[in-house]
Amino acid sequence: MKLHEFRSRFPILERRVYVNSCSQGALSTDVDEAMRAYMTSWHESGSPWEMWVEQVERLRARFAASIGAGAGEIAVMPSASAGINAVASALDFSGPRSQVVIGDFEFPTMAQVWLAQERRGASVRRARASSTSPDTLPLDAYDAVIDERTLMVPATHVCFRNGHKSDIAGLVRLSHDRGAYVFLDDYQRTGSGPIDVHALGVDFMVTGCLKYLLAAAGIGFLYVRRELIERFEPTVTGWFGRINPFAFRIDELDWPAGANRFESGTPPVPNAYAALAALELLDRVGYDVVGTQVERLVARYASAACEAGFLVRTPGASDRRGPLVVVQSLDAPALVQKLAGRGIIASCRGNGLRVSFHAYNTEADVDAVIGALVAESALLERAVGIKN
Ligand SMILES: Cc1ncc(COP(=O)(O)O)c(C=O)c1O
């Protein structure tokens, strides 16, 4: 599918400049129809659970293929948080490896789940952002804290606050050399370009569907590397984490060989309809095509913002940034409102204005945002000297 055809499936783009996929992806007619199909199936068949569970399995397989994994390596979760919790609950912190090393750029959930494990014997250490360049988190920061006591290194791929993209391949090499697992949080990147989890070498990964995967809230995925799955028995569990949920056993726990052992309750069926339609749509465009378009728009926006003299917090190197570019504002909530008044939907975290791109965006969108920022430049921090 060509990009202009892809774009035409998102009605909001006729009325708005939508640069907020880092928060919520735009709604396509495909996802809209899929959600209606779920409602119709409920109206007409009452309780077609077999069909609904089958839909979840189709989603599992489709997502697995999209990241280069096997379906048996994927758990379908209600959120990324649920996936992280399921893994954390399976770990034993009583041995010599009880440390979890988290970087300064993690999404709160990733820190909070591990901090909660401190009651179970874990200790959380921090890899700190550079003191001279607070929006960069070099591998050296991890090098300084990962050691033979480290069990887990959770790491966000792209930071939700400043758009910084971490060197995950480097982090995997460093962590594996020292015997620690790497747990990738890919939520701020999945859907915005290709990924091959096996080539990347991460041990675990979570992501969810409501951002660049262009679906609804309430559904996400946990990937667990094949060789690791059977080492873990989560204590956060439930009937959908069994070999056959419909065996209805209350006398013992069994563990499927696949990553579905990390699941717990009834799957989020309506959201699975939405997510499958969105993944099918993305497949029709192709992740390589999506990634190239996103990179092109990000480069255009970042360099125009620099040229306009704004303080761009996201790294300038193309391999150190993803689909999100953050520009420092003097009052970002007010700036978001001003942009909304100009028909532009963006978001902020603190005083960072978040503008993010998907393959449905165009160069005209970039130029519209830059034009609006120039018009509202009283609300923007100016760059001093050379950045990035
Ligand atoms: C990087 C990242 N990780 C995790 C989450 C939270 O995911 P969930 O609400 O599905 O637990 C978000 C949501 O914004 C995120 O941006």
Side-chain angles (χ1 to χ4, degrees):
M1 181 186 287
K2 296 269 186 261
L3 285 177
H4 66 87
E5 200 190 325
F6 178 58
R7 179 177 164 87
S8 75
R9 323 266 289 210
F10 296 85
I12 194 171
L13 304 180
E14 288 161 23
R15 307 185 304 277
R16 297 276 187 278
V17 174
Y18 193 83
V19 284
N20 201 24
S21 310
C22 60
S23 187
Q24 168 70 63
L27 175 60
S28 62
T29 47
D30 302 64
V31 168
D32 184 319
E33 279 162 22
M35 293 196 94
R36 285 170 207 276
Y38 165 72
M39 299 301 283
T40 303
S41 72
W42 189 6
H43 269 306
E44 289 183 359
S45 309
S47 52
W49 272 103
E50 223 164 88
M51 183 172 103
W52 287 344
V53 169
E54 206 175 284
Q55 191 80 353
V56 174
E57 293 313 312
R58 286 178 57 206
L59 173 66
R60 187 193 309 277
R62 175 72 69 155
F63 175 72
S66 78
I67 63 165
E73 294 176 301
I74 304 298
V76 178
M77 308 303 286
S79 66
S81 301
I84 303 164
N85 269 304
V87 172
S89 82
L91 298 179
D92 177 6
F93 300 102
S94 66
R97 282 189 187 270
S98 59
Q99 284 183 355
V100 178
V101 171
I102 63 161
D104 275 351
F105 294 171
E106 294 310 305
F107 188 79
T109 257
M110 193 53 116
Q112 291 159 5
V113 170
W114 298 107
L115 286 169
Q117 307 309 311
E118 292 197 320
R119 280 194 18 219
R120 298 180 53 236
S123 62
V124 175
R125 298 185 73 193
R126 286 282 281 279
R128 297 282 179 188
S130 156
S131 55
T132 48
S133 173
D135 288 307
T136 61
L137 181 57
L139 219 44
D140 290 354
Y142 285 95
D143 190 21
V145 279
I146 297 173
D147 60 25
E148 72 289 346
R149 292 165 299 172
T150 309
L151 178 61
M152 182 66 77
V153 183
T156 192
H157 210 161
V158 173
C159 174
F160 74 105
R161 219 170 340 105
N162 61 20
H164 173 279
K165 186 178 180 199
S166 290
D167 173 6
I168 298 299
L171 187 60
V172 166
R173 275 193 301 276
L174 174 68
S175 306
H176 284 181
D177 274 355
R178 297 178 191 175
Y181 296 122
V182 174
F183 197 151
L184 179 65
D185 176 353
D186 201 50
Y187 212 147
Q188 285 291 341
R189 197 220 55 88
T190 323
S192 68
I195 190 170
D196 179 337
V197 269
H198 289 166
L200 204 52
V202 295
D203 303 294
F204 306 91
M205 181 185 115
V206 278
T207 192
C209 296
L210 66 80
K211 302 178 193 292
Y212 303 92
L213 284 182
L214 306 178
I219 190 158
F221 304 101
L222 167 68
Y223 157 81
V224 183
R225 188 154 62 80
R226 175 72 262 166
E227 307 86 81
L228 301 182
I229 295 170
E230 291 183 75
R231 289 187 202 171
F232 297 105
E233 295 183 355
T235 56
V236 170
T237 189
W239 67 307
F240 268 83
R242 305 283 75 78
I243 292 173
N244 174 15
F246 303 98
F248 300 113
R249 301 188 66 164
I250 61 169
D251 52 344
E252 66 167 33
L253 277 176
D254 58 24
W255 298 100
N260 57 325
R261 65 169 55 200
F262 290 89
E263 294 173 7
S264 59
T266 308
V269 173
N271 309 324
Y273 271 74
L276 184 58
L279 283 178
E280 284 171 355
L281 179 59
L282 284 166
D283 271 344
R284 290 178 66 193
V285 182
Y287 289 97
D288 286 334
V289 173
V290 170
T292 305
Q293 173 72 351
V294 168
E295 260 182 52
R296 183 183 303 135
L297 299 177
V298 161
R300 184 182 180 95
Y301 176 68
S303 69
C306 282
E307 263 165 46
F310 305 144
L311 176 58
V312 179
R313 293 178 49 189
T314 308
S318 59
D319 60 344
R320 290 281 71 84
R321 65 189 180 195
L324 165 67
V325 180
V326 176
V327 168
Q328 189 68 2
S329 170
L330 297 167
D331 183 348
L335 182 55
V336 167
Q337 286 304 316
K338 293 279 189 195
L339 293 178
R342 294 172 181 271
I344 297 169
I345 301 180
S347 59
C348 64
R349 292 289 177 268
N351 267 340
L353 175 74
R354 304 196 305 170
V355 169
S356 53
F357 297 99
H358 209 306
Y360 46 56
N361 292 116
T362 60
E363 293 176 351
D365 290 345
V366 173
D367 299 347
V369 177
I370 291 291
L373 292 183
V374 169
E376 303 290 353
S377 59
L379 286 170
L380 282 150
E381 192 150 313
R382 315 299 299 185
V384 185
I386 298 166
K387 308 157 304 294
N388 303 323

